[in-house]
Amino acid sequence: IQDPLSDGLYVGLNYFPAPAGGDSCSVGYWNPLQVPTGAPPLALLPQDASVLVNNINGTNTGNMTPMYGALAGSYQVANTLRVTYPNDKVIVVLASDGMPNQCGGNQDDIGWLANNVVAPEFNNNGIETYAIAIASGVVSAMTTIAQAGGTSQAYDVSQNTSAFAQEMAEIRGTALGCEYLIPDSTTEFDPYNVNVSITIDGGTPQTLPQADDEGDCGSGDGWYYDNPTDPTMIILCPSSCQTIETAQENAQQVDVDVKFGCPTEVN
């Protein structure tokens, strides 16, 4: 939250168990978000960081794990944000040191949660879910959640919880550094007149060539459209995405510029 590289991000928090609801699984305890109260709007970093930090430092929750309620309520908020701010990317980060309980039946089964709560949000609404395992006993379960949420595997801080901030920084880079929504415009969008460049720490901008798709990227730098015939998003090739993630992990400033109007450079 206090990392300077988080400048410009909007963040909200939900705790489970909910401070006001005890061990209840009622979805209403997580929608609206608990912090900031009544969010959205969310807390904007860095100016609202103290609101979040003070709340974290002053909040104690119980020992149970009503994960279903927390996930379901948080997704409701995420979808409200997704519709309200269509040009922004919305993600959910789940961190837990325990297996789901208190809700009963299928709602306490990690596989059911992954398939029936997490996966539909990714497949139908494009909301990625990142998972952080705080205890070694939940690494496999958190990976199940992450895979259903389109993010491959859990971040494991069970052996070193002080690495939590580092893992959040990696999530920030992965989630926000490689995909860019094509903004709405009053003028007609021309997919053949778009160029993308990366600038690291104020250096010389590097213009990236366009690829047909991820397979066409190979091991080189570049970018491609999510749908060549009806593009809505610009996606960086794996090599360029890794360049950004590495720079962010090294606390370097990264600027990605998308320019419209000039003939596209292709690979």
Side-chain angles (χ1 to χ4, degrees):
I1 291 171
Q2 296 172 310
D3 188 336
L5 292 178
S6 293
D7 185 6
L9 297 187
Y10 287 87
V11 179
L13 300 176
N14 267 331
Y15 302 98
F16 60 105
D23 297 330
S24 171
C25 288
S26 174
V27 174
Y29 285 112
W30 293 276
N31 180 22
L33 287 178
Q34 296 158 8
V35 188
T37 304
L42 304 182
L44 174 60
L45 302 180
Q47 52 260 52
D48 297 331
S50 61
V51 174
L52 303 175
V53 172
N54 292 339
N55 190 274
I56 291 171
N57 290 336
T59 298
N60 293 307
T61 62
N63 295 320
M64 297 294 102
T65 315
M67 191 179 294
Y68 166 77
L71 277 173
S74 296
Y75 284 134
Q76 288 179 0
V77 174
N79 277 293
T80 297
L81 292 166
R82 178 179 62 85
V83 173
T84 305
Y85 305 101
N87 290 328
D88 291 338
K89 182 171 183 178
V90 181
I91 68 168
V92 169
V93 180
L94 173 72
S96 182
D97 64 354
M99 296 291 286
N101 55 45
Q102 292 299 110
C103 299
N106 288 333
Q107 293 180 353
D108 285 338
D109 180 80
I110 200 72
W112 185 91
L113 284 176
N115 292 329
N116 293 276
V117 179
V118 180
E121 296 297 338
F122 175 65
N123 295 329
N124 300 333
N125 300 323
I127 297 176
E128 295 175 342
T129 300
Y130 293 80
I132 300 177
I134 303 177
S136 58
V138 300
V139 174
S140 177
M142 290 297 97
T143 293
T144 298
I145 294 291
Q147 290 174 342
T151 60
S152 299
Q153 66 181 47
Y155 292 82
D156 181 4
V157 300
S158 61
Q159 303 305 310
N160 180 17
T161 53
S162 64
F164 192 98
Q166 177 184 340
E167 302 297 9
M168 286 296 294
E170 290 186 21
I171 289 173
R172 177 190 60 213
T174 300
L176 303 180
C178 303
E179 298 180 1
Y180 302 90
L181 290 171
I182 297 171
D184 295 332
S185 174
T186 56
T187 59
E188 184 177 355
F189 172 70
D190 184 348
Y192 301 102
N193 285 279
V194 176
N195 283 289
V196 180
S197 65
I198 297 176
T199 304
I200 297 177
D201 263 3
T204 302
Q206 175 192 3
T207 299
L208 307 179
Q210 182 192 8
D212 293 334
D213 51 34
E214 183 174 352
D216 188 39
C217 290
S219 59
D221 289 318
W223 62 274
Y224 57 95
Y225 289 122
D226 60 330
N227 182 345
T229 59
D230 186 21
T232 62
M233 185 178 294
I234 290 169
I235 304 173
L236 298 188
C237 291
S239 177
S240 297
C241 185
Q242 183 60 55
T243 296
I244 288 178
E245 292 175 11
T246 300
Q248 290 179 323
E249 290 169 11
N250 293 329
Q252 294 176 297
Q253 180 66 42
V254 178
D255 294 309
V256 178
D257 291 320
V258 180
K259 298 182 179 180
F260 303 90
C262 294
T264 302
E265 294 189 23
V266 298
N267 66 7

